């Protein structure tokens, strides 16, 4: 149904243009949160180079709880302020970590991970979840990745029914 083999893997900008088209395509006319998060996690995991984990944590009662993802099993609950994910929530800012071993409090879920990006997802000016992507190589994510992945979190914010998370 969705042939992701056509996603360009050449230039970074072309890759993200194709990825945005696919994300908007799979979410078209569908606002189910879990279905959309699951498909986007799959798209990211299966199309981004050098990625060993891609998925979501949902903020429930002031704690992050594991949501749809692709990769090895991960820790289920993360407190706000803890780890890279909890820091993204407490600061409200994207955390782009070039070397997770130098990030104080990093929570290691997959020993292969060396760098990581975590983007808070906002709904009505409040953080409701984070997108977390891990890489086995150092310095995997640059400012273009950050900008384009933040765009994807805005599609998810606008296109999904977040009421079910609370
Ligand atoms: N490394 C994250 C925990 C989640 S896993 O990477 C999937 C952190 O420090 O918050």
């Amino acid at each position: 149904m969705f042939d992701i083999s056509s996603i360009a893997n050449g230039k970074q900008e072309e890759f993200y243009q194709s990825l945005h088209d696919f994300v908007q395509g799979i979410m078209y006319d569908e606002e189910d949160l879990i279905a959309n998060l699951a498909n986007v996690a799959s798209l990211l995991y299966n199309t981004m180079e050098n990625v060993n984990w891609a998925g979501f944590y949902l903020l429930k009662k002031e704690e992050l709880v594991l949501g749809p993802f692709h990769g090895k099993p991960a820790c289920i609950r993360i407190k706000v302020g803890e780890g890279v994910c909890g820091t993204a929530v407490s600061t409200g800012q994207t955390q782009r970590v070039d070397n997770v071993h130098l990030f104080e409090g990093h929570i290691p879920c997959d020993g292969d991970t060396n760098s990581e990006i975590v983007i808070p997802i906002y709904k009505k000016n409040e953080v409701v979840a984070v997108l977390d992507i891990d890489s086995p190589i150092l310095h995997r994510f640059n400012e273009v990745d950050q900008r384009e992945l933040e765009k994807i979190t805005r599609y998810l914010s606008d296109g999904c029914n977040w009421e079910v998370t609370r």
Side-chain angles (χ1 to χ4, degrees):
M1 186 171 150
F2 298 105
D3 180 11
I4 57 172
S5 62
S6 65
I7 290 189
N9 54 8
K11 286 203 198 96
Q12 201 180 17
E13 308 275 354
E14 283 168 27
F15 165 77
Y16 277 112
Q17 193 46 58
S18 308
L19 188 63
H20 292 318
D21 292 345
F22 268 85
V23 169
Q24 286 170 314
I26 55 174
M27 288 177 53
Y28 178 73
D29 218 14
E30 179 56 70
E31 62 164 25
D32 187 275
L33 180 68
I34 300 302
N36 285 338
L37 296 184
N39 263 339
V40 171
S42 170
L43 258 185
L44 296 171
Y45 181 83
N46 285 294
T47 62
M48 292 183 77
E49 285 184 346
N50 293 312
V51 160
N52 58 310
W53 200 93
F56 299 90
Y57 280 87
L58 306 177
L59 193 61
K60 298 182 180 182
K61 296 186 185 139
E62 299 311 306
E63 200 174 35
L64 287 168
V65 182
L66 184 64
F69 72 94
H70 280 247
K72 290 183 184 163
C75 54
I76 297 172
R77 292 178 186 271
I78 300 174
K79 290 193 173 21
V80 171
E82 290 187 356
V84 185
C85 291
T87 303
V89 178
S90 58
T91 60
Q93 305 283 322
T94 294
Q95 303 295 304
R96 210 169 79 221
V97 182
D98 290 336
N99 181 347
V100 295
H101 309 291
L102 301 179
F103 187 99
E104 212 184 311
H106 167 253
I107 302 165
C109 288
D110 180 343
D112 290 342
T113 298
N114 278 311
S115 63
E116 175 164 6
I117 187 167
V118 179
I119 300 170
I121 302 178
Y122 283 86
K123 189 77 191 175
K124 294 181 190 152
N125 296 320
E126 274 181 35
V127 178
V128 287
V130 298
L131 165 62
D132 180 7
I133 308 178
D134 293 359
S135 171
I137 63 171
L138 295 166
H139 297 266
R140 164 62 181 82
F141 305 100
N142 63 18
E143 62 284 355
V144 176
D145 294 298
Q146 177 172 345
R147 185 187 68 218
E148 300 303 322
L149 292 167
E150 285 174 349
K151 228 180 260 179
I152 288 174
T153 64
R154 289 196 288 274
Y155 302 148
L156 289 165
S157 169
D158 293 341
C160 298
N161 174 11
W162 289 87
E163 299 302 318
V164 294
T165 55
R166 295 306 167 98

